[in-house]
Amino acid sequence: MLTAFRTTFRIHDLRNKILFTLFIFVLYRFGTTVPVPGVDLDAIKEFTDAATTSGFVGLLNLFSGGALTRLSVFALGIMPYITASIILQLLTVVWPYLEKLSKEGELGRRKITQYTRYGTVGLALIQGFFIASGLEAMTGPSGVPIVLASGLQFKLMTVLTLTAGTSFIMWLGEQMTERGIGNGISLIIYAGIIARMPAAIGKSVQMI
């Protein structure tokens, strides 16, 4: 196995792709630690620790690599992109224009990809607004407000921050696909799941 690993790194092009992929992973993990401005981190941790132990919120936190727990700039994760991709695939079946594009080869696929990007940004804006509005009404278990200073400024800043975070993840995934190894979006999802596995296993052991 070590011989195969050494041989892999002797291939210049493959080595560069592996190193680029690892660099993208480092950027992604760093982004999950940068919190959204204007929130009480202690209060958000108390709230999310209780909310993410199970259920749908826990699943979203798993796919975001723990970014939701820390309410980081990557809190929305790649889910808006996945949702937009699914919507575009469904519309391709019922909308003749998209169906025609899907049959036009590389040019058509590029247009559909561009529409997927627009859809991702739109969904991120909507989800970011609802998250910002929800945060203003939330308090930690001790009664401390999660948002330090609520209002239009906080909403706008949070929506833009979360949307920019999702857009950046989408860009990282595309760069990884072009210059790294494998499908970038899938690898980012995989990295998020792997990052949460130790904590998930530890909680499972404690519950036994």
Side-chain angles (χ1 to χ4, degrees):
M1 185 175 179
L2 289 176
T3 303
F5 187 76
R6 291 196 198 98
T7 303
T8 298
F9 265 77
R10 287 192 186 120
I11 304 173
H12 182 267
D13 186 54
L14 185 56
R15 181 178 69 246
N16 288 344
K17 288 186 176 184
I18 293 174
L19 292 176
F20 183 79
T21 301
L22 293 175
F23 174 68
I24 294 296
F25 283 153
V26 171
L27 281 181
Y28 173 66
R29 291 307 303 162
F30 175 74
T32 61
T33 65
V34 180
V36 170
V39 297
D40 187 322
L41 297 182
D42 293 330
I44 195 67
K45 187 176 186 305
E46 289 180 4
F47 179 84
T48 55
D49 280 347
T52 58
T53 53
S54 62
F56 183 66
V57 177
L59 181 63
L60 288 179
N61 189 54
L62 181 66
F63 275 89
S64 67
L68 184 61
T69 302
R70 293 181 286 271
L71 197 64
S72 80
V73 294
F74 288 171
L76 290 180
I78 200 63
M79 293 304 291
Y81 179 85
I82 295 174
T83 304
S85 298
I86 293 173
I87 291 173
L88 261 294
Q89 288 179 6
L90 293 175
L91 287 177
T92 300
V93 180
V94 298
W95 192 0
Y97 172 70
L98 289 178
E99 184 180 5
K100 181 181 177 181
L101 281 180
S102 66
K103 296 177 180 178
E104 289 183 356
E106 184 63 26
L107 181 60
R109 284 193 293 270
R110 285 183 181 178
K111 287 185 178 180
I112 292 177
T113 299
Q114 192 66 30
Y115 294 150
T116 303
R117 292 174 185 149
Y118 295 149
T120 300
V121 172
L123 289 173
L125 287 171
I126 295 171
Q127 292 180 23
F129 174 78
F130 281 109
I131 287 178
S133 301
L135 287 173
E136 290 183 329
M138 291 180 183
T139 58
S142 58
V144 178
I146 288 177
V147 177
L148 298 176
S150 60
L152 180 60
Q153 184 177 359
F154 170 78
K155 283 190 178 73
L156 182 61
M157 178 177 58
T158 302
V159 169
L160 293 178
T161 300
L162 294 178
T163 302
T166 293
S167 300
F168 186 63
I169 295 175
M170 178 175 59
W171 181 80
L172 289 178
E174 291 177 351
Q175 293 302 307
M176 194 184 299
T177 300
E178 293 178 6
R179 302 168 56 187
I181 298 174
N183 184 285
I185 299 299
S186 299
L187 288 174
I188 286 177
I189 295 173
Y190 177 75
I193 294 174
I194 291 298
R196 292 298 300 167
M197 284 302 291
I201 293 173
K203 288 183 180 180
S204 298
V205 171
Q206 290 177 0
M207 294 174 62
I208 297 177

